[in-house]
Amino acid sequence: NETLKKNLSATRKIKIDNTAPKVKSITSRSSAGYYKKDASLLFMLEFSEDVTITGVEGLNMQFTHKNSDVNVKTAGSTATGSKYVLMTYNVAEGDNASPLEFGQLNASGVRVTDAAGNVLSGETLAVTTTPSFSGFEIDTTKPSAPSFGTWNPGKLVIADDGTSFTLYEAEPGATVEYSLDGGQNWLPYTDTEEVSITNNGSYQVTARQTDKAGNVSQEADVKTFIVNKGALFKRITASSRSGTYT
């Protein structure tokens, strides 16, 4: 009757919900940039509503790049709060992506249930807003060693102006360094700079570069030589007179 309807409407708020929860978004909690081996990136998955997750460890994000034909995925999903899941991507040797791109969200054995009992499950789950990780570069490849070009000082340098070299084959954006003592101490190298060595002494010149992700190249082949400037002879004297002798 009307009285009963009024009493129910005054004391109860009933919501009819027959819609399964959705994965609203996946965003990065790490800053964009370059990442090398052993780096860890953190991502946050958000559901459209409060949920209860069973088997959260089976939830992982798969990227489009592969490592030796094996799909690269996040590892270690952890539910936090009632709407969020944190996922960690540990960069391994051989992972390379430019940029990092979302592939799919795997959910084998995962069951997501909202307050009304609606269930979201499946081998993969759709994401309402496709994740974008533009600006995230995965680079585990060491750059090649810088080159001295054709520079070859030999074993002994006697010229008054010493010797000089220029480094080549630097990777764009890399930090290049050179050493005059076989790698014990390093000096910054400016692109296309000509380095002059004019002081007398023994030298072991080598070079290296570090790319944007922090990968360090092998050291260039060492150039070992001595700089000994100045006249080899100050004076030549003879006890005989000038003339022609046979």
Coordinates of all heavy atoms in Angstrom, one line a residue, residues 11 17 23 64 78 100 109 120 128 133-134 157 162 230 244:
T11 N 13.3 5.2 4.7 CA 14.3 4.5 5.5 C 15.3 3.8 4.7 O 16.4 3.5 5.2 CB 13.6 3.5 6.4 OG1 12.9 2.6 5.7 CG2 12.6 4.2 7.4
D17 N 22.5 -2.5 -9.2 CA 23.7 -2.6 -9.9 C 23.9 -3.9 -10.5 O 24.1 -4.9 -9.8 CB 24.9 -2.3 -8.9 CG 26.3 -2.3 -9.6 OD1 26.3 -2.4 -10.8 OD2 27.3 -2.2 -8.9
V23 N 38.3 -2.0 -15.6 CA 39.6 -1.4 -15.3 C 39.6 0.0 -15.9 O 39.5 0.2 -17.2 CB 40.7 -2.3 -16.0 CG1 42.1 -1.6 -15.7 CG2 40.7 -3.7 -15.4
T64 N 54.6 -4.4 -25.4 CA 54.7 -4.9 -26.8 C 56.1 -5.4 -27.1 O 56.3 -6.2 -28.1 CB 54.4 -3.8 -27.8 OG1 55.3 -2.7 -27.5 CG2 52.9 -3.3 -27.6
T78 N 50.2 -6.0 -6.4 CA 49.8 -5.9 -5.0 C 48.5 -5.0 -4.9 O 48.6 -3.9 -5.4 CB 50.9 -5.3 -4.1 OG1 52.1 -6.1 -4.2 CG2 50.5 -5.3 -2.6
L100 N 58.4 2.7 -24.3 CA 57.7 1.6 -23.7 C 56.2 1.7 -24.1 O 55.6 2.7 -24.1 CB 57.8 1.7 -22.2 CG 57.2 0.6 -21.3 CD1 58.0 -0.7 -21.5 CD2 57.2 1.0 -19.9
G109 N 43.3 -16.4 -13.7 CA 43.1 -16.8 -12.3 C 42.6 -15.7 -11.4 O 42.5 -15.8 -10.2
L120 N 34.2 -9.4 -12.6 CA 35.0 -9.2 -13.8 C 36.1 -10.2 -13.8 O 36.8 -10.4 -12.8 CB 35.6 -7.8 -13.7 CG 36.7 -7.4 -14.8 CD1 36.0 -7.4 -16.2 CD2 37.3 -6.1 -14.5
T128 N 39.7 0.8 -20.0 CA 38.9 1.8 -20.5 C 39.7 2.9 -21.3 O 39.4 3.2 -22.4 CB 38.0 2.5 -19.4 OG1 37.2 1.5 -18.8 CG2 37.1 3.6 -20.0
F133 N 52.7 5.3 -22.3 CA 53.9 5.5 -21.6 C 55.0 6.2 -22.4 O 56.2 5.9 -22.4 CB 54.5 4.1 -21.1 CG 53.5 3.3 -20.3 CD1 53.2 2.0 -20.7 CD2 52.8 3.9 -19.3 CE1 52.2 1.3 -20.0 CE2 51.9 3.2 -18.5 CZ 51.6 1.9 -18.9
S134 N 54.5 7.2 -23.2 CA 55.4 8.0 -24.0 C 56.4 8.7 -23.1 O 56.1 9.2 -22.0 CB 54.6 9.1 -24.8 OG 55.4 9.9 -25.5
V157 N 106.6 11.3 -28.8 CA 106.2 12.6 -29.4 C 107.3 13.6 -29.1 O 107.5 13.9 -27.9 CB 104.8 13.0 -28.9 CG1 104.5 14.4 -29.5 CG2 103.8 12.0 -29.2
G162 N 103.4 19.1 -29.2 CA 102.9 17.9 -28.6 C 102.0 17.1 -29.6 O 102.4 17.0 -30.8
G230 N 111.5 19.3 -27.2 CA 112.8 20.0 -27.1 C 113.8 19.4 -28.1 O 113.6 18.3 -28.6
T244 N 136.7 18.5 -46.5 CA 136.2 17.3 -47.1 C 137.1 16.2 -46.8 O 138.3 16.2 -47.0 CB 136.0 17.4 -48.7 OG1 135.2 18.5 -48.9 CG2 135.4 16.2 -49.3

